[in-house]
Amino acid sequence: MAEVTIDSTLQEDRLFPPSTEFSQQAQIKSLTEYEQLYARAKADPQKFWAELAETELHWFQKWDTVLDWQPPFAQWFVNGKINIAHNCLDRHLTTWRRNKAALIWEGEPGDSRTFTYAQLHREVCQFANVLKQLGVQKGDVVGIYMPMIPEAAIAMLACARIGAPHTVVFGGFSAEALRDRLNDGKAKLVITADGGWRKDAIVPLKEQVDKALADAPTVKDVLVVQRTAQKIHMEAGRDHWWHDIRQGVSADCPAEPMDSEDMLFILYTSGSTGKPKGVVHTTAGYNLYSHVTTKWIFDLKDTDVYWCTADVGWITGHSYIVYGPLSNGATTLMYEGAPRSSNPGCFWDVIEKYGVNIFYTAPTAIRAFMRMGEHEPNARNLSSLRLLGTVGEPINPEAWMWYHRIIGGERCPIVDTWWQTETGGVMITPLPGAIATKPGSATLPFPGILAEVVDLEGNPVPENEGGYLAIKHPWPGMMRTVYGDPDRFRRTYWEHIPPHEGQFTYFAGDGARKDRDGYFWVMGRVDDVISVAGHRLGTMEIESALVSHPAVAEAAVVGKPDEIKGEEVVAFVTLDTSFSPSPELSAELKKHVVQEIGALARPGEIRFSEALPKTRSGKIMRRLLRSLAAGEEVTGDTSTLEDRSVLDKLREGA
Ligand code: WT7
C-alpha cells in the first residue's frame, strides 16, 4: 500500500453556516441537536437504529435481534420480515401521497413522463408479474443494463418486490464488462432497452447485450424496453418486448416478505487488483440506512422536487434516486441526458422547468460547468433551489465556491457527502441545517457512524495529520460481503488495520485528515485506483484490457490529475518485440480499452516504454509512474527499484 501523502498546503478557513431561515425549517436544526443525536447513537448504536427502524419503516414482522456481529460479518434486524418495494410504494398508497408525483422523468430529446405513487406502484407490480411469468423466482439474480428511463427504476423495484436480487450494470460499460458481471452473478435474465439517448446519439444497448450473451450461459431471457425504436435484433425464444409481453398481465402482485438479510442487490465496483468486486447489500439495513440518510442530509420535505444526476448504474443512483427518496415518499426526478454541445445548459433548463429544490451532482460535472462559464446558468431562473449536494471525489474549494455562488445564489447550503458503494449510503456529511460547511470538507460523520483517521495500527493520528479513513462500528447500510468471495471481503476491508481496543475496523481505502474542529478532509484513494469523472476504475482492469491486445507485452496504468475529470488515465505500455510504437497503434490501443471496458476507461495518453519500473519482487512501482505522468520530479524512495536505468529511459521518452 502506498503511503499517504497530504497536501498540507490546503488551508481552508472559510466557514459557511446555514442561514437562520434554513435551520429553522430543517429536519436537524442546530449543531447542538446534531451533537445530541451523535452522542446518543454512539452510546447505544443498536438502540438508536432500532428506534429509527421502528418509526421509519414498515415491517411484516419485527426482528428479534438488532445486530449480530461476527466480525467482519454483520446481520441487522435478524429475523425481521420486510420488503423495500413495499416501503417505497405500497405504504404511501394509503396516505394522501397516493396521487403525489413519485417520479418525474425528462428524456434527452425533451419528452417527459410523470408517475404518481399509485401509477408507479401499478407499473412495478405488472413488471414483477412479467418477471415471474418468465420464471424468475425469489433469489434469482437479474441483470439490468438500461438507459436512464423510468423503466430502469421500475425494473429495480420489480426485482425487489419479488425478492430477485438485481445487478445493475452501467449502460456505458462494454459488452465484455457486462458479460463478466452477468457471469459472476450467474444472472438468469437481463432487462435492457433497444437503446438510450446520450449526447444526441443512440447508445446501442441491445447490441451490447447480444454480444455479451454469446458467452453468458446462465441468462435465459431478455426483456427489452422500447426507447429509441431503432431496428434491433430480437432472438426468438430469448428476447421479449416489454410492451408486448405486458399485455393482459395483472397488476396485482403482493410484495414478497423478505428476510432482513436476504440479498437486495449486487453492485460491481473496481478493486485495485483482479476482477471487479460484487458488493452485496441486503434488505432491511440498506432500506433503513438509505432512508434515514436521505431524509436528514437532503432535508426532504413533502413539497420538494429532488434531483440527483447520477446514473442508476452507480450506487448513488440506487440509494439516492430510487430507494432513499421513494422510501421517504419524495418526488424524485430522473434525467436521461447529459450536458452536450447542442445543449450545454440542459441541467439548468430541467431545474427551471420543474422548479427543482434539491440538486445533487458530482464535482466533475461542476468543473465541466465552470469551464463553460456563468452564462448558461445565469440565463435561467434557478431560484427554486434551496439545497445543493456533491459526491464522488474530493471537491476543490474553487469548484465549491463556484457552485455556491453561481448555482446556489449564495443562499443554498452544500452537502459534500463522502461515502462508497460499500457503505450503501452517506457516511460523512454536513446535516445542512446544523453543520457549518468549509469548502472542500465533508465535515462530520453521520449519527451512528464512528469515523476516525488512523495509522496502520489503528491508532488515531493527531489533528491535521494524514492517515487512513476508518469506521469503527458496523452500520445498517454496510456491505455484507463480496459476492461469492467472503475471504476477499475480509482481506480488502478488514485486515489492513488490526482490531484496536477490541473494535474491528473497516478500512475505506481513502486517505484523510481531521482538522481542529473535527472536520474530515478526504484526500482520495490510497491504492491504485483511478478516479475518472467520479468513477473508480481499477488499474488492473485497464491493464488487463491493454495486455489482451496482441501488440502489448506489459502495461501499467496510472492517474494523472485532470482539471475536469479529476484524473485522466495514462498508460505505460511495453510492446511485444514484433511491434513498434506509432500514433496509429496508440489510437488502436485506446480504442481497444474502450471496447473492453467502456469509454470511461479510455487512456488519455499512451506512453511506449521498453521496460517498466518494478520492485525486485516484480511489483510495478506506480508511484514513480504517477510522478512521471504528472510531469513532476520523481522523489521519494527508489531503493526497491530493480533496475534504475529504467527510470532514466522513461524520463527521456517523456
Ligand atoms: C470513493 C467511492 C459514493 C458514490 C460515488 C462513488 C471517493 C466519494 C467523496 C467525497 C471525497 C469522495 C472516495 C471513496 N469519494 N465521495 N465527498 N469526498 N472523496 O462511489 O465508486 O464507490 O467510490 O469515491 O475515494 O472511497 P464509489
Side-chain angles (χ1 to χ4, degrees):
M1 196 191 318
E3 74 270 26
V4 183
T5 52
I6 329 147
D7 186 1
S8 52
T9 56
L10 183 78
Q11 192 56 48
E12 181 56 68
D13 292 323
R14 286 172 288 195
L15 192 68
F16 294 83
S19 67
T20 318
E21 299 77 46
F22 191 97
S23 293
Q24 274 169 354
Q25 61 79 59
Q27 301 273 0
I28 313 297
K29 296 178 171 36
S30 66
L31 187 60
T32 316
E33 195 182 335
Y34 160 78
E35 283 169 349
Q36 281 166 357
L37 267 175
Y38 193 85
R40 192 151 65 74
K42 187 176 174 180
D44 192 346
Q46 299 195 24
K47 182 155 174 267
F48 175 78
W49 291 117
E51 277 172 17
L52 286 166
E54 186 94 55
T55 53
E56 297 293 322
L57 300 182
H58 173 272
W59 296 83
F60 298 125
Q61 182 189 300
K62 204 181 155 174
W63 61 90
D64 39 56
T65 309
V66 180
L67 171 65
D68 177 354
W69 180 220
Q70 314 281 339
F73 301 101
Q75 295 190 56
W76 282 88
F77 308 110
V78 181
N79 290 329
K81 297 277 181 278
I82 190 167
N83 186 294
I84 194 170
H86 180 99
N87 273 311
C88 287
L89 300 167
D90 306 49
R91 65 162 160 164
H92 304 309
L93 301 187
T94 52
T95 72
W96 68 270
R97 291 191 183 108
R98 177 178 182 81
N99 295 318
K100 173 181 175 175
L103 180 67
I104 297 175
W105 172 79
E106 176 84 3
E108 196 184 81
D111 48 344
S112 59
R113 292 152 81 190
T114 297
F115 297 80
T116 64
Y117 273 93
Q119 290 171 324
L120 191 61
H121 174 260
R122 204 185 143 75
E123 290 284 316
V124 168
C125 288
Q126 199 180 36
F127 207 109
N129 276 334
V130 166
L131 292 177
K132 280 198 209 163
Q133 199 175 294
L134 289 170
V136 177
Q137 291 176 359
K138 185 172 168 174
D140 289 340
V141 172
V142 172
I144 297 180
Y145 185 64
M146 289 282 263
M148 283 288 285
I149 57 176
E151 285 78 6
I154 291 166
M156 290 163 73
L157 290 159
C159 288
R161 192 165 191 86
I162 62 173
H166 54 70
T167 179
V168 185
V169 178
F170 171 53
F173 275 132
S174 68
E176 288 76 9
L178 173 63
R179 176 199 62 203
D180 292 347
R181 285 157 176 78
L182 294 174
N183 284 334
D184 188 77
K186 296 180 270 309
K188 187 163 174 182
L189 179 142
V190 174
I191 303 164
T192 189
D194 52 354
W197 286 103
R198 194 166 168 86
K199 301 198 177 180
D200 300 319
I202 289 176
V203 184
L205 294 165
K206 179 59 167 59
E207 209 178 292
Q208 302 297 319
V209 170
D210 290 338
K211 278 191 213 156
L213 292 197
D215 195 12
T218 57
V219 176
K220 301 295 177 224
D221 293 275
V222 181
L223 195 48
V224 188
V225 177
Q226 191 170 50
R227 165 64 185 134
T228 58
Q230 93 271 27
K231 228 185 130 31
I232 53 163
H233 168 73
M234 291 291 281
E235 180 92 18
R238 186 195 71 183
D239 301 348
H240 319 271
W241 283 112
W242 160 237
H243 59 264
D244 285 338
I245 202 170
R246 72 186 291 181
Q247 297 302 323
V249 174
S250 157
D252 180 13
C253 176
E256 187 72 29
M258 302 299 291
D259 190 90
S260 290
E261 282 299 331
D262 276 338
M263 181 158 75
L264 176 62
F265 63 83
I266 310 170
L267 189 58
Y268 286 86
T269 180
S270 301
S272 56
T273 52
K275 55 177 190 152
K277 298 186 283 271
V279 170
V280 170
H281 283 286
T282 58
T283 305
Y286 175 82
N287 193 166
L288 180 65
Y289 198 67
S290 56
H291 176 102
V292 177
T293 49
T294 305
K295 181 171 175 172
W296 290 352
I297 298 164
F298 298 111
D299 191 46
L300 276 187
K301 302 289 151 46
D302 260 315
T303 46
D304 283 322
V305 175
Y306 160 90
W307 180 21
C308 164
T309 67
D311 191 282
V312 286
W314 308 113
I315 189 71
T316 313
H318 285 52
S319 302
Y320 298 115
I321 295 177
V322 181
Y323 292 117
L326 295 177
S327 182
N328 279 284
T331 297
T332 184
L333 191 145
M334 188 175 180
Y335 179 51
E336 183 188 35
R340 53 206 181 274
S341 50
S342 68
N343 191 357
C346 60
F347 275 22
W348 323 125
D349 284 338
V350 171
I351 291 175
E352 185 174 283
K353 177 171 176 186
Y354 294 101
V356 170
N357 307 106
I358 303 166
F359 179 65
Y360 189 31
T361 194
T364 180
I366 297 167
R367 287 193 295 268
F369 292 130
M370 268 174 88
R371 204 171 61 163
M372 290 181 228
E374 302 175 13
H375 165 75
E376 295 288 348
N378 285 348
R380 271 73 167 190
N381 181 356
L382 304 181
S383 62
S384 58
L385 290 172
R386 66 178 193 89
L387 177 61
L388 303 174
T390 82
V391 60
E393 57 186 311
I395 181 166
N396 43 310
E398 206 189 330
W400 195 101
M401 287 306 299
W402 189 89
Y403 198 31
H404 170 72
R405 279 191 305 114
I406 307 302
I407 307 306
E410 297 183 9
R411 82 187 163 271
C412 305
I414 296 177
V415 288
D416 174 353
T417 61
W418 177 86
W419 60 298
Q420 310 179 296
T421 304
E422 293 86 341
T423 68
V426 174
M427 303 286 279
I428 303 179
T429 177
L431 296 182
I435 297 170
T437 53
K438 301 182 189 183
S441 169
T443 74
L444 300 171
F446 195 79
I449 302 305
L450 305 188
E452 208 34 271
V453 180
V454 301
D455 62 21
L456 278 180
E457 271 76 56
N459 306 302
V461 302
E463 182 181 297
N464 276 323
E465 240 170 63
Y468 301 93
L469 187 51
I471 314 291
K472 298 223 145 174
H473 188 276
W475 65 101
M478 69 196 276
M479 75 181 283
R480 298 302 193 261
T481 189
V482 172
Y483 187 66
D485 198 348
D487 207 51
R488 190 166 177 203
F489 173 61
R490 183 194 301 274
R491 276 197 324 269
T492 311
Y493 303 103
W494 300 93
E495 282 185 351
H496 287 283
I497 299 166
H500 183 68
E501 290 166 1
Q503 293 241 45
F504 272 74
T505 304
Y506 171 83
F507 171 74
D510 281 340
R513 74 180 161 93
K514 237 163 80 167
D515 70 14
R516 64 162 183 267
D517 299 321
Y519 278 40
F520 285 76
W521 297 79
V522 178
M523 299 177 301
R525 311 292 305 164
V526 294
D527 55 12
D528 291 314
V529 171
I530 303 178
S531 168
V532 180
H535 302 305
R536 267 195 286 168
L537 301 170
T539 50
M540 259 299 295
E541 257 195 307
I542 308 174
E543 287 162 7
S544 326
L546 281 164
V547 175
S548 74
H549 189 282
V552 177
E554 199 170 35
V557 160
V558 296
K560 168 181 164 179
D562 179 274
E563 217 184 295
I564 305 290
K565 291 185 288 188
E567 279 187 291
E568 182 190 63
V569 174
V570 177
F572 291 82
V573 167
T574 305
L575 291 177
D576 194 279
T577 46
S578 53
F579 289 80
S580 41
S582 72
E584 288 74 25
L585 182 57
S586 173
E588 192 180 315
L589 292 179
K590 289 180 189 177
K591 225 177 94 192
H592 183 69
V593 172
V594 173
Q595 198 186 351
E596 292 289 310
I597 299 177
L600 267 179
R602 180 203 305 274
E605 202 184 322
I606 304 255
R607 292 206 193 173
F608 295 104
S609 143
E610 271 177 47
L612 297 169
K614 290 185 192 166
T615 62
R616 269 169 233 131
S617 60
K619 281 182 83 175
I620 295 172
M621 296 181 73
R622 289 197 185 72
R623 177 169 58 84
L624 308 184
L625 293 176
R626 234 176 270 135
S627 308
L628 280 172
E632 294 162 3
E633 193 61 37
V634 176
T635 52
D637 186 15
T638 51
S639 61
T640 50
L641 204 57
E642 176 198 37
D643 176 1
R644 296 193 55 103
S645 73
V646 170
L647 206 54
D648 300 323
K649 283 192 198 127
L650 275 165
R651 271 202 206 96
E652 284 158 22

